[in-house]
Amino acid sequence: MLKKLLMSATMLLASAQLSGAADLGSMSWDQIVAQAKQEGELTWYVWYFQDDFRREVKAFEDAYGIKVTIPVTTLNGNTEKLMAEREREKGDIDAFAWDWDLLTTVKPASLFYALDMLPKDEGRVSTLSGTDSNGRAFAFWGNQTGIAYDPAKVKAEELPQTAEDFAAFWQAHPGEFGFNYENGGSGPSFYQNILRVVSGTDFTDGSDNDSHLAELKPGIDFFNKYADDYVITVSNADSITRVSDGELAMAPAWEDHLAGLQKRGEVRKEIKFYIPQMGMNGGGNAIAIPLNAPHPAAAAVFVNWLTSAETQSMLNRNFGSAPMNSAADDSYALVPNEQRKYRTPWGAQPFRSKVETYFVENVVQER
């Protein structure tokens, strides 16, 4: 159902929406701020860290006197709602958070305002992981997969960087490395990048025919060869917990997830994180304003605040997310900037989904 809704999104022709977008674009920023304060409220549809974001947006509410409501929702639920409401004169969504990769499934101009009404800020990010929003969305959250490790068990100079390095670590330390294949993307990022470098398969090619999948055989054989030496975990959280508890020495993780758990005292602060040179997937999340937003001026002021260097610095400090404004302070990130050159884009669909099924059938179920 979700895929059908995404693929069916076309140009919105409702004149009220189009005229609303034009009106906002013709206003000065001071006029937009004044109208935003008159509107007095906005609803932000974001699917994660909802309780945390309710605390963070208090700074915006105090600065502008505009109330922000964050409903209890999910990513799929938000997406379905956006698509279901797209031809209504007024929808319920003012500010819309989305996985950046999902922008490739729609025509952004048919759904979202052009954000050129915001004050100029060269530090903002409108192109991420090879996808250009064409000014219809900005990134507000950077995420990165990598490897969490216990420095008491693994020295920094001995961290595995290549597929061969990981195989050597597995053999030298059997049962001390684990990864998940479901319930979170950190494990899939790890095994898919191993498959990529061992097999030489082009993950940017989304075709899912049998011949493309067959190219993965060297990587599948690699995992099966060392199946007794690594552990399969239940989820992202399970992997990190096992590292923190000392059961595992290393496991794939999300940078922001690990940072958040450490900040809340749920994972030992001693646990470190790095991006191996072979590459692991990273990306981010988008913020946009639907064309039929009921409070478009308030949403514009909110997007301006959320993507500012100051707020991006705050999110890095409080969550460990990679800042999505080049002028922001990233000193609270878990990895230095020079390691971010190892970030790789997620595989293209539908090949990526087929790879996940293929891996489960030919590796996980063969253990």
Side-chain angles (χ1 to χ4, degrees):
M1 180 64 177
L2 174 59
K3 182 178 181 181
K4 182 178 179 181
L5 286 169
L6 286 170
M7 298 305 294
S8 68
T10 56
M11 293 295 291
L12 294 179
L13 301 178
S15 60
Q17 294 170 359
L18 295 176
S19 63
D23 290 342
L24 197 62
S26 67
M27 297 168 65
S28 71
W29 183 246
D30 286 343
Q31 290 173 325
I32 291 174
V33 173
Q35 179 174 315
K37 291 181 177 180
Q38 286 184 348
E39 292 172 353
E41 61 179 312
L42 68 99
T43 302
W44 181 22
Y45 275 71
V46 60
W47 74 95
Y48 64 100
F49 291 170
Q50 291 165 344
D51 286 341
D52 298 291
F53 281 132
R54 290 185 186 104
R55 291 191 293 269
E56 297 298 318
V57 299
K58 289 187 181 301
F60 171 81
E61 293 175 327
D62 292 343
Y64 292 97
I66 299 171
K67 178 176 174 54
V68 180
T69 298
I70 299 176
V72 177
T73 58
T74 65
L75 175 59
N76 284 357
N78 289 355
T79 301
E80 291 175 358
K81 183 175 180 63
L82 175 75
M83 298 305 169
E85 293 185 353
R86 66 188 185 275
E87 294 188 23
R88 283 173 47 183
E89 181 177 352
K90 293 294 181 183
D92 297 325
I93 304 170
D94 291 305
F96 186 72
W98 220 15
D99 183 324
W100 192 272
D101 289 344
L102 291 178
L103 290 171
T104 63
T105 66
V106 300
K107 295 179 179 179
S110 72
L111 294 171
F112 305 123
Y113 273 87
L115 296 177
D116 52 6
M117 84 289 279
L118 272 59
K120 296 292 183 182
D121 185 342
E122 298 298 331
R124 291 193 179 103
V125 175
S126 60
T127 299
L128 190 65
S129 299
T131 299
D132 187 348
S133 74
N134 294 312
R136 299 285 170 163
F138 287 127
F140 77 95
W141 185 276
N143 53 41
Q144 176 65 50
T145 60
I147 306 295
Y149 69 97
D150 187 342
K153 296 186 175 185
V154 188
K155 297 179 181 178
E157 60 270 20
E158 297 175 353
L159 293 172
Q161 300 292 344
T162 65
E164 293 73 18
D165 290 346
F166 281 104
F169 182 86
W170 294 344
Q171 291 179 290
H173 308 277
E176 294 190 31
F177 184 100
F179 63 91
N180 62 300
Y181 68 91
E182 60 181 354
N183 298 323
S186 63
S189 169
F190 172 73
Y191 74 69
Q192 288 177 31
N193 278 284
I194 291 283
L195 292 175
R196 175 181 58 82
V197 298
V198 172
S199 305
T201 306
D202 181 6
F203 273 68
T204 65
D205 178 359
S207 58
D208 61 348
N209 52 62
D210 290 343
S211 61
H212 197 191
L213 285 170
E215 295 174 3
L216 298 171
K217 187 176 187 306
I220 296 295
D221 291 343
F222 176 90
F223 278 103
N224 288 332
K225 178 179 179 179
Y226 300 106
D228 293 336
D229 299 324
Y230 59 81
V231 175
I232 297 295
T233 67
V234 175
S235 64
N236 289 334
D238 182 46
S239 295
I240 296 176
T241 298
R242 292 196 194 191
V243 174
S244 181
D245 290 347
E247 178 184 345
L248 299 177
M250 307 180 73
W254 288 96
E255 179 184 9
D256 52 341
H257 185 206
L258 174 58
L261 291 172
Q262 289 180 320
K263 185 174 180 61
R264 294 191 294 273
E266 298 175 24
V267 167
R268 286 191 288 130
K269 292 186 180 298
E270 292 82 8
I271 302 305
K272 302 294 185 183
F273 179 90
Y274 79 105
I275 308 171
Q277 293 175 14
M278 71 173 190
M280 285 185 65
N281 301 131
N285 299 328
I287 187 71
I289 305 172
L291 288 171
N292 60 353
H295 307 100
V301 174
F302 179 73
V303 170
N304 184 61
W305 172 83
L306 186 64
T307 59
S308 68
E310 181 180 6
T311 302
Q312 288 296 300
S313 299
M314 178 183 71
L315 295 181
N316 173 251
R317 180 178 66 252
N318 294 346
F319 294 96
S321 60
M324 291 290 103
N325 189 306
S326 61
D329 175 13
D330 71 343
S331 59
Y332 290 88
L334 296 185
V335 294
N337 273 337
E338 56 264 26
Q339 281 192 22
R340 299 199 185 277
K341 65 185 176 183
Y342 304 131
R343 178 172 65 190
T344 58
W346 290 94
Q349 296 286 17
F351 180 64
R352 175 183 163 190
S353 294
K354 274 293 185 69
V355 170
E356 293 174 359
T357 302
Y358 194 74
F359 184 83
V360 171
E361 293 174 347
N362 293 278
V363 174
V364 178
Q365 294 179 358
E366 293 297 319
R367 290 171 59 82

